[in-house]
Amino acid sequence: MAAPEPRRLFFANLPSDGGHLEIAVRSELREFRNFLATAKSYLKDETASRVGWIPERGGRDKGAPMWLELVPCPDRPNEQGTTFREFLSNDTEFVYECAPPSISNEKRERRTYFREEHKIKVLRRNQSRRQLLIERAPEFTELALKPNTYALDKQIEAIDRLRSEPSVAHIPLLRLLQHRMHADSLWPIVPKIVEPNWEVLTDATRDGTLEQRDFVRKALATPDFAFLEGPPGSGKTTAICELILQVVKLGFRVLLSASTHVAVDNVLERVADGRHNEIVAVRIDRRDADETPLCVQGLRLEKFVKSERVRLREFHRSNVQPTPAEEIFLNALESATDSEDMIERLILDSANLVAGTTIGILQHPDLKSARRSKHPEPPFDMLIVDEASKTTFQEFLVPALWAKRWVLVGDPRQLSPYADEDSLGPNIRALVCEKWKREACIAVDEASSGKNKRALMSVCNPAQIEFIRTQAEYVSPDLRIETLDNEVNENGITRALDLAVASVIIGGKQDFDRLESLIPLDFTNLYGDISNPWFRRLAAWQNHTNADPGDEKVWEAEIAWRLGRNYELRRLPKSEQPPYWGQIKKLLPYDDHEKVLEGIGTVSRLGLPSVLESLMNGVGERAGAKFVTALSHGLRKNQCASRDIYAERSQKLCFQHRMHPDISSTPRRLFYANEALRDSTGISMRRAWSCNCFGDFRSVWIDVNGKTDKNNRNEKEAEVLVRQLNHFLEWTKLVPHPGSEKRPWEVAILTFYRGQETLIREKLNRSGLTITGYGAYAHRAQDEDTATIKLCTVDRFQGHEADLVLLSFVQTGRVGFLASPNRLNVALTRARYQLVLIGSRGYFADVKRCNSSALNELSKLPVNTPNEQ
Amino acid sequence: MKLILQRDIFVNRWRVVATIGFNQNRPELIAILALTKELPDGLVSGRDVSSRLLAGRPESVGDRLLSVCRMMKLIESVPERKGLWSLTPLGERAMMKKEVPVPQRGEFELWTIDDPLFPDAIVRTRATELEHQSSDENKNVPPSEGIPHLLRRCVNQVIAPPVRFEGEANEICVFEISEKCRASDRVSCRVKLEIDESGGWAIFSTMDRTFSTTPELPTLAEALSQVGWRGSETVKSVSFRYLSDSDRRSGSKDESLGNVHLRELGDFETGILKDVRLVPKIQSDADEWAEWRLRDKIKGYVWPEDYENMVRAAREVSVKQGWQFDPLLPSQSDLARKIADNSQAQRWLLVPLEWGTLRRENDIVRHTILVISGRATSPDEVERILDECGRASNRVFILLPENENAKRLGFSNEIQRTCVIRRVRQPPDTWVWVEPGKWIGRRWVRSEASDSVKNKKSEAGKERSSGSWLDLQDLGFDDVIQKLRRAFWKNAREELDVQGNWIAVKQK
């Protein structure tokens, strides 16, 4: 077939097949762009981050600057840490004072938050204490922040660039979107290369080194992609370090990105340690300097610029007879206007390793200022994305356009990208444009949930009434729907009885007001245009029944969270998977069922998988797609493609060097089918210790028969956990860490729930430990830290490790978050010496109650009776 | 004298994918270029950069910065001297200008003109915005084509595009243009080439804006010789009677040259030699021409000394314009006689002769001046006005309304019997009375007519004459003064001296 004429000149100028490539790219990326644009528009128009505050010091005088501590808003007690980080970010120059939103008009009030008169300048920040110094005391009880759409903007821009202005170097990226039938023959064979002189992977006898070397060889030789899969502690970082050193030796430049700071810093710590002179590394980082590890601080761009300026000035000032060239250089150094820019440019141009997190790298000065491509060709020869299993395709594209080759490293058995409901929700909502219809669906679904939910819904016309009735029949034929109409009057006793047992009562706004006395008190949800007194009635009822006032269901949010959870649980056996799809289907409007379901599939395809998984297995076929692409079906061999391009470019690591064998055995069996996470030789010896705080086993249960409250807190588990921690801390006073460098023991306190994290933090804050940061503590004895303690959720701890992990399960009667095998894998594979599982072991062992074979299996680990002393 | 040549040219617009360098101040790179220049043999290595400029950073850093310079084509590798680099001409130029062309790759719209007047061919470079919307997806786009030779020859050139809109660079370096481009538009415009003694430039208009460029051009003398204009004919002798008024005034005229060809610049459809100097052919032409110029200068009352100055100026002009004949000019009274009777010019010449006794003393007016609005006056009012202020006035200015009514001129004739009058168009109802003793600015305000009176008036077709004087202080005095100033004293040798609300007339 003759190639069509490309619309964009960039495609016309690609070496061959530009017309086909353009068509493929346009159609494949259009959905991604729409997805991001919808999410951005929602963020900009309908959201605001809100926090509460308590005065810290100052601010006695009205209008005087004051320090205040940020706290969660009363209606959001488990506010995410990211919200606070947004407020405390160096990029935040202003906050807006605001009153808490009332139940019915949050959206409208949001628009009034950002008025000029409510704007307050931020003068200083203290991240570790969650404190802000602002120019005056707020007059309202909460602070709001304008939503930051920068990351989305950059993703949209990257997609637009790839759709409009790809360079020749981007052809492999484009090929991911092309019909595999055409594209497969175009993927070059990865050539064999001469054995490099190994810098880090010098010991070939060490378990896993040969696999690591194979990966480095493939990554050096590949003209496009290379992949590294490795379970926790398998030496992915080491392999990355070796790769960077080899690439730099060839005179190339590397862009390193990972989803967590620790992954980036670990690599930098090892390659920019002064032993490898040829590495000039720059860290792009917007955190406070004191949050950055000491060894990496000097690499932060701002600090690098300052120190380099001083160094160069001293050097040139000491030159008594400068030549004209040296004089030009010195003059620029002395110039107030040019100096910083020049040094920054000098560093950015000369650095051969630029590193930052997936989000942080967006702060790179070139990326921030570039509206369009300023580089004649991608400035980096290789992009390495660590933790690529947590990075979506669209996130990956932003740095990917800056490079000519791409190396993805990760473990698809660990956590997937964060299922951002702010992105999924608006895109799902766009599938059903009519608000009343969405409300009708959720009202009917709630009423049919069997949780004694009853809804009042105001409607405008008979067509809407008809829709609700049919939707009810479609969802649950037994559901009682009652309509308020002209025939019903205040004396209609019979109808009053009907209304009393109705699940959904529908009528016009005036009908509700007219027949107020007939409507039962115990309705739980209000939808449509309903006057304020009804909301007050609802609040009174909720107060009376102790119901959660925040439990307002929104159609798209209900689908979004189920979609996210369903994706999380995709690896579970069918019998263990909760019926999320069935629940989603019940929420769909009967008259547009197929189309909306297809749209939800698209949203799931675009918003949930990681780039690593996408290229391994694909994200699924685009609705209406006429062909199979690498992105939709992966690079592996499948029924549509005979060549296994993924296998040619990928390497798996099988040995782990982190955990004591007792700790690794369960996750190896549960999540890696005994194929990976094999214990390296000598790991048992390296993890020997004398601590008997937790018995003889390195992976033990402390069985706590606690109770979970509605905020996912388990008081008893928290108490036991803190006791166990103190017990261990006492031991650390006596026994120093066995490492050659003198360093404290590292303890991680992990939990699956933010509510429990908050509860434990409250306890730790009162426990006499030194607070070193938000959720970070140190235990001191004789002026030395014997242990550092980090408290966070399992999700945020991916990429980290610790000597001792205390894991609080919280749940005692349902599986909840714990069902996700990826999350459980992360939770169980962080500990080097000791893993302590704190939870209701009895519940997890009960096969009838706990429908999770992984948790059932986990419950078989030995038990250590808590030491009550 | 100026040679003006014109022809039609075509501006072609091309959409191209290109790498184009835009100048930026990059002192660190300039320092590297300067270092290259001062090193032996003009060769630099990464080690030189690291040790001399970067205080001993690893050699790889120096190499990296050199590769940045190489990307900008500021340096080039030296054959058989691996690791050493020398300056390119672009590098030399960057060092001199202290700016380096930082390359940007993207889609650009390039405007080209294929004409010898534009040797660089590219006359405008516009970076197109990143496009993403699907709105144009269904549009038919023209097929791409190979880049024309015209653009190909611009590669590796430094160009100063003459067409620049706001924010567009005044100098670019074309590093690379991709093979396929798309012709987007072709518009015709006219280019005007001007060559005079000081040099030459080409001017053309497009997109409602005018741009100019200064190509390499022959001198005016060379160009004139090429177009066949004899070098001696810089002055042309002409008969007075065949000249247009504008030629008579300027003493020069434009000569059409028809089709013109200049070597290396090609054919021009029209050629005009501007401002060819004209001189009278014979003495009588000179006399008539000089007298015509005198009469042309009369725009108001001409005082005798003014007339003398006019005559002197006319002679000076004739000398300056290289007349071979000294023109014979009439006296003021002779000229007045030559002019048709009762014409305005005749009065302007005669009245000052007759009014010589009323001249000012010590530059201060000693006589009352009355300024009257012609519209406000009617024959009925004449007596009262003159009684009140006019009898003592020697000079009266009448401000005539836009629709001057001949009937009212009776009033001015009345005054003219004793005064010199000057008529100027002014807004209606403005009177100003200026008197040496009192010097009061006042205004005549007509009283409001009752309905019955109005009806009567409309029946009778007469204007009311009742009214009163008001002090001008609160009635737009400044405005009146400004108008008077503009009307009377634009070219005259006297001016209004205004102090607060008081007016005097002063000689300049």
Side-chain angles (χ1 to χ4, degrees):
Chain A
M1 194 174 74
E5 172 67 26
R7 292 177 184 283
R8 303 278 178 214
L9 273 175
F10 279 86
F11 286 93
N13 279 297
L14 292 180
S16 64
D17 211 16
H20 282 128
L21 265 180
E22 185 181 31
I23 291 171
V25 169
R26 280 197 162 278
S27 50
E28 290 298 310
L29 288 182
R30 186 187 297 127
E31 278 183 344
F32 280 98
R33 191 181 197 285
N34 292 345
F35 178 82
L36 293 168
T38 307
K40 180 185 160 182
S41 139
Y42 166 76
L43 265 183
K44 255 178 79 177
D45 299 340
E46 294 180 39
T47 64
S49 301
R50 284 188 297 118
V51 293
W53 59 273
I54 47 177
E56 184 57 22
R57 53 186 187 273
R60 305 275 182 260
D61 303 326
K62 206 176 175 188
M66 78 176 291
W67 276 102
L68 45 82
E69 185 185 333
L70 305 181
V71 295
C73 294
D75 60 326
R76 304 186 200 179
N78 297 331
E79 189 62 76
Q80 293 185 45
T82 47
T83 308
F84 293 101
R85 279 196 288 280
E86 270 183 72
F87 275 87
L88 296 162
S89 160
N90 290 334
D91 291 334
T92 300
E93 290 179 32
F94 297 97
V95 290
Y96 294 78
E97 57 190 349
C98 64
S102 56
I103 298 167
S104 58
N105 56 358
E106 180 166 9
K107 194 181 288 183
R108 195 181 67 231
E109 283 178 0
R110 186 218 160 267
R111 296 181 195 285
T112 64
Y113 289 165
F114 303 119
R115 286 192 184 144
E116 203 54 28
E117 64 263 30
H118 297 320
K119 193 166 158 182
I120 307 176
K121 191 172 173 58
V122 176
L123 305 174
R124 285 177 65 190
R125 349 175 140 66
N126 183 333
Q127 262 102 345
S128 58
R129 292 181 177 275
R130 278 193 179 173
Q131 288 175 355
L132 288 180
L133 176 66
I134 56 176
E135 67 180 347
R136 64 172 171 82
E139 286 177 12
F140 298 103
T141 56
E142 292 182 2
L143 297 175
L145 198 61
K146 273 192 177 174
N148 183 355
T149 59
Y150 178 65
L152 286 175
D153 287 335
K154 287 290 154 190
Q155 288 171 27
I156 291 172
E157 200 178 298
I159 286 177
D160 289 343
R161 273 196 57 205
L162 200 57
R163 290 177 78 194
S164 308
E165 301 185 350
S167 79
V168 176
H170 295 148
I171 286 180
L173 292 174
L174 302 177
R175 207 177 286 140
L176 296 176
L177 309 164
Q178 212 180 354
H179 194 338
R180 272 201 70 174
M181 202 172 74
H182 297 308
D184 273 13
S185 60
L186 301 172
W187 291 103
I189 302 283
V190 180
K192 294 254 184 292
I193 59 160
V194 183
E195 186 81 355
N197 286 326
W198 300 109
E199 298 282 338
V200 183
L201 303 172
T202 48
D203 181 4
T205 60
R206 188 172 180 263
D207 286 333
T209 300
L210 295 180
E211 295 165 343
Q212 289 170 316
R213 285 182 177 184
D214 280 345
F215 158 70
V216 174
R217 270 192 294 265
K218 280 183 185 173
L220 287 174
T222 185
D224 37 65
F225 289 92
F227 305 93
L228 176 65
E229 279 181 69
S234 59
K236 296 190 291 286
T237 305
T238 308
I240 290 173
C241 291
E242 178 69 59
L243 176 61
I244 289 171
L245 290 167
Q246 295 297 341
V247 172
V248 167
K249 270 205 302 192
L250 295 171
F252 294 143
R253 306 182 74 207
V254 179
L255 180 62
L256 170 70
S257 177
S259 64
T260 59
H261 286 289
V262 68
V264 177
D265 292 340
N266 281 346
V267 174
L268 286 178
E269 193 178 343
R270 291 165 67 173
V271 297
D273 57 356
R275 283 182 297 163
H276 304 284
N277 237 348
E278 62 277 22
I279 297 253
V280 180
V282 175
R283 174 77 157 95
I284 308 293
D285 192 354
R286 291 292 293 171
R287 289 177 299 175
D288 262 9
D290 56 9
E291 285 187 75
T292 316
L294 209 59
C295 52
V296 181
Q297 278 188 13
L299 305 178
R300 289 164 59 101
L301 182 61
E302 322 78 86
K303 192 154 186 192
F304 202 162
V305 169
K306 283 197 179 96
S307 61
E308 190 68 355
R309 187 177 172 193
V310 171
R311 198 181 71 85
L312 290 174
R313 264 189 187 172
E314 276 175 15
F315 174 79
H316 283 279
R317 280 177 182 169
S318 64
N319 187 355
V320 283
Q321 277 189 318
T323 65
E326 289 159 347
E327 216 160 303
I328 292 171
F329 202 82
L330 178 61
N331 286 344
L333 280 174
E334 301 286 10
S335 153
T337 50
D338 290 350
S339 180
E340 293 233 337
D341 283 352
M342 183 184 88
I343 303 287
E344 185 176 282
R345 219 36 287 156
L346 199 69
I347 290 169
L348 291 174
D349 279 348
S350 59
N352 45 25
L353 173 60
V354 176
T357 57
T358 323
I359 300 296
I361 202 77
L362 303 179
Q363 301 299 331
H364 190 293
D366 286 355
L367 198 58
K368 278 182 99 171
S369 63
R371 259 296 287 137
R372 49 181 293 119
S373 161
K374 295 215 167 166
H375 297 280
E377 54 181 13
F380 292 94
D381 298 281
M382 183 178 281
L383 165 69
I384 301 174
V385 182
D386 194 3
E387 295 175 340
S389 46
K390 286 192 83 176
T391 307
T392 61
F393 177 69
Q394 49 271 34
E395 281 171 344
F396 160 74
L397 275 187
V398 180
L401 295 193
W402 274 26
K404 297 172 195 161
R405 286 185 285 165
W406 306 271
V407 176
L408 304 182
V409 180
D411 179 8
R413 308 246 163 208
Q414 294 186 53
L415 284 166
S416 304
Y418 171 62
D420 184 4
E421 285 176 24
D422 280 349
S423 296
L424 300 179
N427 278 285
I428 293 168
R429 185 176 62 180
L431 300 170
V432 178
C433 300
E434 304 95 327
K435 185 181 174 203
W436 67 266
K437 206 180 236 188
R438 297 195 299 267
E439 291 185 338
C441 289
I442 192 80
V444 169
D445 182 70
E446 279 286 280
S448 68
S449 66
K451 294 177 192 165
N452 212 14
K453 299 275 184 177
R454 318 179 69 198
L456 301 191
M457 182 163 181
S458 153
V459 291
C460 305
N461 57 49
Q464 293 179 357
I465 295 172
E466 186 54 36
F467 174 85
I468 297 168
R469 287 193 169 282
T470 320
Q471 176 74 9
E473 275 173 35
Y474 163 76
V475 171
S476 171
D478 303 333
L479 216 55
R480 288 201 64 157
I481 308 286
E482 288 298 331
T483 312
L484 301 179
D485 49 34
N486 292 335
E487 290 169 17
V488 182
N489 58 46
E490 286 177 41
N491 301 321
I493 302 298
T494 320
R495 293 305 304 272
L497 288 175
D498 288 341
L499 294 177
V501 294
S503 298
V504 181
I505 302 172
I506 45 184
K509 187 180 177 185
Q510 296 83 358
D511 294 326
F512 280 113
D513 294 342
R514 182 171 60 88
L515 302 165
E516 190 183 348
S517 60
L518 293 184
I519 294 173
L521 286 174
D522 61 344
F523 58 86
T524 53
N525 299 76
L526 290 171
Y527 298 103
D529 180 19
I530 288 184
S531 50
N532 264 345
W534 289 97
F535 285 95
R536 290 200 286 272
R537 260 180 78 167
L538 173 67
W541 180 252
Q542 284 168 340
N543 190 38
H544 173 70
T545 57
N546 250 343
D548 183 357
D551 197 21
E552 192 189 358
K553 305 287 183 191
V554 179
W555 182 77
E556 58 269 25
E558 287 300 301
I559 295 179
W561 79 257
R562 286 179 171 90
L563 206 58
R565 291 298 308 281
N566 191 62
Y567 186 76
E568 272 184 4
L569 306 179
R570 65 197 179 283
R571 291 186 196 283
L572 284 179
K574 278 243 157 81
S575 59
E576 290 180 26
Q577 283 186 356
Y580 289 129
W581 265 118
Q583 293 171 10
I584 289 173
K585 284 178 184 170
K586 272 179 67 186
L587 279 160
L588 306 186
Y590 75 92
D591 57 349
D592 218 2
H593 186 271
E594 290 301 317
K595 203 174 150 201
V596 178
L597 197 60
E598 185 182 294
I600 288 172
T602 302
V603 171
S604 162
R605 215 166 55 79
L606 302 174
L608 295 171
S610 71
V611 61
L612 186 63
E613 274 190 282
S614 303
L615 299 189
M616 279 166 76
N617 306 318
V619 295
E621 204 164 291
R622 180 169 58 84
K626 294 180 184 139
F627 47 79
V628 167
T629 69
L631 192 64
S632 67
H633 287 73
L635 284 164
R636 282 186 165 148
K637 187 172 167 177
N638 54 37
Q639 67 271 29
C640 313
S642 56
R643 195 173 151 196
D644 196 337
I645 295 151
Y646 183 82
E648 292 167 19
R649 288 158 169 75
S650 70
Q651 181 63 45
K652 277 186 183 170
L653 303 180
C654 298
F655 290 92
Q656 69 87 13
H657 307 271
R658 175 187 296 168
M659 293 160 271
H660 187 277
D662 281 1
I663 302 171
S664 62
S665 64
T666 308
R668 177 167 59 244
R669 200 173 59 252
L670 289 177
F671 310 117
Y672 295 96
N674 287 324
E675 286 173 6
L677 209 70
R678 284 151 58 188
D679 299 323
S680 59
T681 312
I683 185 70
S684 188
M685 290 293 292
R686 290 201 297 280
R687 295 295 176 252
W689 74 349
S690 60
C691 176
N692 60 359
C693 305
F694 309 100
D696 297 333
F697 299 99
R698 297 303 187 88
S699 192
V700 293
W701 275 100
I702 293 181
D703 194 4
V704 179
N705 199 10
K707 196 179 167 196
T708 316
D709 71 10
K710 64 180 180 183
N711 288 324
N712 291 316
R713 298 168 178 228
N714 188 318
E715 179 74 33
K716 202 164 179 187
E717 277 187 23
E719 279 170 15
V720 170
L721 189 146
V722 173
R723 253 199 321 270
Q724 292 297 320
L725 173 69
N726 287 332
H727 197 190
F728 176 73
L729 294 177
E730 284 303 311
W731 178 79
T732 62
K733 286 184 190 170
L734 309 170
V735 184
H737 196 280
S740 54
E741 297 158 22
K742 198 174 177 186
R743 65 184 176 95
W745 290 94
E746 290 173 1
V747 180
I749 298 173
L750 303 184
T751 177
F752 294 92
Y753 294 94
R754 286 204 298 271
Q756 183 74 346
E757 184 194 7
T758 311
L759 178 66
I760 297 172
R761 186 183 310 116
E762 286 165 7
K763 289 187 184 299
L764 291 179
N765 286 351
R766 294 194 303 264
S767 68
L769 293 169
T770 310
I771 301 172
T772 56
Y774 183 69
Y777 306 86
H779 179 252
R780 289 199 173 140
Q782 294 170 347
D783 286 343
E784 274 189 20
D785 286 353
T786 63
T788 58
I789 300 113
K790 179 86 185 152
L791 163 70
C792 67
T793 57
V794 170
D795 289 37
R796 280 206 289 121
F797 205 67
Q798 180 166 332
H800 296 248
E801 55 189 286
D803 298 318
L804 165 67
V805 171
L806 299 164
L807 177 63
S808 169
F809 280 78
V810 181
Q811 294 299 352
T812 54
R814 65 183 182 95
V815 178
F817 269 8
L818 284 56
S820 160
N822 294 42
R823 184 171 288 112
L824 203 54
N825 183 18
V826 172
L828 300 180
T829 52
R830 302 300 105 194
R832 297 189 195 106
Y833 289 82
Q834 180 77 51
L835 171 64
V836 181
L837 311 171
I838 301 168
S840 172
R841 180 172 165 273
Y843 164 67
F844 297 122
D846 187 343
V847 182
K848 285 183 187 160
R849 287 172 63 214
C850 174
N851 182 25
S852 164
S853 54
L855 289 170
N856 300 152
E857 193 66 23
L858 197 62
S859 68
K860 293 175 185 165
L861 287 172
V863 186
N864 185 35
T865 312
N867 186 342
E868 297 298 334
Q869 290 175 352
Chain B
M1 197 156 66
K2 190 192 282 182
L3 179 60
I4 296 182
L5 307 171
Q6 296 192 58
R7 70 175 166 223
D8 286 332
I9 53 171
F10 288 98
V11 180
N12 288 294
R13 297 188 206 170
W14 306 90
R15 301 279 276 207
V16 300
V17 173
T19 307
I20 290 180
F22 296 90
N23 284 344
Q24 270 185 22
N25 174 27
R26 295 286 296 271
E28 78 281 14
L29 300 184
I30 297 295
I32 291 173
L33 301 181
L35 179 67
T36 312
K37 187 93 174 163
E38 67 195 30
L39 284 170
D41 301 329
L43 300 177
V44 70
S45 69
R47 183 176 299 174
D48 295 325
V49 175
S50 296
S51 63
R52 295 278 299 276
L53 299 179
L54 304 179
R57 278 259 164 222
E59 193 178 332
S60 61
V61 176
D63 283 336
R64 173 68 203 147
L65 291 177
L66 285 176
S67 82
V68 172
C69 292
R70 184 182 51 80
M71 187 183 71
M72 296 177 185
K73 299 194 176 173
L74 303 172
I75 55 171
E76 59 194 354
S77 60
V78 182
E80 296 168 11
R81 302 284 301 270
K82 201 180 169 204
L84 290 178
W85 305 84
S86 64
L87 283 182
T88 60
L90 190 60
E92 295 263 9
R93 183 190 165 90
M95 206 177 72
M96 297 282 289
K97 294 195 74 173
K98 300 207 180 327
E99 281 184 326
V100 296
V102 177
Q104 292 183 15
R105 186 177 163 81
E107 193 172 312
F108 293 91
E109 187 179 87
L110 300 183
W111 293 15
T112 61
I113 297 177
D114 188 6
D115 189 286
L117 288 172
F118 301 88
D120 284 337
I122 294 176
V123 295
R124 187 187 180 201
T125 311
R126 186 176 76 87
T128 58
E129 282 301 308
L130 183 61
E131 292 176 46
H132 50 75
Q133 293 303 331
S134 54
S135 56
D136 64 344
E137 281 184 21
N138 296 324
K139 268 196 273 174
N140 285 326
V141 291
S144 55
E145 54 190 277
I147 56 166
H149 176 69
L150 195 67
L151 283 178
R152 204 181 293 277
R153 74 163 196 246
C154 293
V155 174
N156 287 329
Q157 300 293 316
V158 175
I159 289 168
V163 178
R164 286 195 303 276
F165 287 81
E166 201 180 336
E168 293 181 354
N170 52 14
E171 189 176 279
I172 58 162
C173 178
V174 182
F175 286 115
E176 170 261 340
I177 301 179
S178 291
E179 202 46 46
K180 295 276 182 65
C181 68
R182 200 165 267 153
S184 64
D185 201 358
R186 177 181 164 93
V187 290
S188 125
C189 66
R190 200 153 180 84
V191 63
K192 188 161 88 173
L193 178 66
E194 294 187 7
I195 305 174
D196 62 15
E197 282 85 356
S198 61
W201 57 90
I203 302 168
F204 61 102
S205 295
T206 184
M207 305 259 296
D208 299 328
R209 294 259 302 262
T210 300
F211 304 96
S212 70
T213 180
T214 50
E216 266 194 30
L217 295 172
T219 62
L220 180 61
E222 285 167 358
L224 288 178
S225 89
Q226 284 188 44
V227 301
W229 184 267
R230 275 169 296 172
S232 58
E233 268 192 49
T234 53
V235 175
K236 196 167 181 180
S237 302
V238 288
S239 295
F240 171 73
R241 76 180 74 169
Y242 297 122
L243 294 178
S244 67
D245 281 0
S246 64
D247 293 345
R248 288 170 181 174
R249 260 183 215 110
S250 66
S252 64
K253 71 180 291 186
D254 299 343
E255 282 289 329
S256 171
L257 303 174
N259 290 346
V260 165
H261 178 84
L262 288 185
R263 270 196 305 278
E264 294 175 358
L265 295 179
D267 292 329
F268 292 87
E269 289 142 22
T270 61
I272 293 170
L273 197 53
K274 287 281 281 184
D275 301 333
V276 177
R277 205 141 42 87
L278 304 175
V279 291
K281 208 172 214 171
I282 53 175
Q283 177 67 47
S284 63
D285 287 327
D287 297 344
E288 279 181 82
W289 195 344
E291 187 181 315
W292 182 90
R293 277 181 171 168
L294 274 181
R295 290 166 67 165
D296 190 44
K297 293 272 183 204
I298 297 169
K299 306 290 184 203
Y301 290 105
V302 181
W303 300 99
E305 61 265 35
D306 294 341
Y307 188 76
E308 282 166 26
N309 290 337
M310 286 162 66
V311 168
R312 195 179 311 120
R315 286 189 197 288
E316 281 169 7
V317 168
S318 66
V319 172
K320 197 175 165 189
Q321 293 186 344
W323 291 10
Q324 289 171 314
F325 310 101
D326 184 16
L328 204 61
L329 288 163
S331 66
Q332 185 169 354
S333 54
D334 287 346
L335 184 61
R337 266 195 299 281
K338 279 185 171 182
I339 294 172
D341 281 351
N342 294 326
S343 74
Q344 191 182 45
Q346 188 187 46
R347 195 164 71 249
W348 282 341
L349 284 168
L350 282 177
V351 171
L353 288 175
E354 295 159 2
W355 197 40
T357 54
L358 294 175
R359 296 316 302 269
R360 293 145 290 197
E361 293 167 22
N362 299 329
D363 289 335
I364 302 295
V365 172
R366 295 296 181 197
H367 310 284
T368 308
I369 300 168
L370 177 64
V371 183
I372 305 173
S373 165
R375 167 117 175 235
T377 58
S378 67
D380 299 344
E381 295 173 57
V382 168
E383 284 306 312
R384 194 165 53 79
I385 291 169
L386 290 178
D387 283 348
E388 195 170 350
C389 57
R391 299 274 183 218
S393 300
N394 300 109
R395 301 170 73 195
V396 176
F397 298 106
I398 297 182
L399 312 180
L400 290 177
E402 292 292 330
N403 51 349
E404 184 181 341
N405 190 331
K407 183 180 163 190
R408 295 201 184 101
L409 290 179
F411 167 65
S412 54
N413 289 337
E414 181 69 22
I415 296 172
Q416 206 171 342
R417 274 187 280 166
T418 53
C419 309
V420 175
I421 66 165
R422 188 180 280 189
R423 301 176 202 183
V424 181
R425 290 185 190 284
Q426 278 291 292
D429 297 340
T430 305
W431 295 31
V432 183
W433 172 28
V434 188
E435 187 180 341
K438 293 176 165 178
W439 293 25
I440 301 170
R442 302 177 83 192
R443 181 181 179 209
W444 177 258
V445 179
R446 202 183 301 280
S447 63
E448 272 297 308
S450 65
D451 289 345
S452 59
V453 174
K454 276 182 190 167
N455 293 337
K456 272 186 194 170
K457 180 187 151 190
S458 59
E459 283 164 20
K462 288 180 183 175
E463 288 183 5
R464 276 178 48 81
S465 59
S466 63
S468 57
W469 287 96
L470 286 185
D471 196 317
L472 266 176
Q473 192 164 0
D474 301 321
L475 292 167
F477 181 79
D478 287 344
D479 189 38
V480 172
I481 296 305
Q482 288 305 321
K483 282 170 179 165
L484 284 174
R485 214 191 272 282
R486 280 203 298 277
F488 285 91
W489 280 272
K490 194 175 176 186
N491 295 313
R493 294 166 62 199
E494 53 196 25
E495 63 183 11
L496 275 185
D497 181 21
V498 182
Q499 295 168 5
N501 282 346
W502 301 94
I503 309 172
V505 179
K506 250 173 47 175
Q507 196 169 19
K508 276 184 184 172

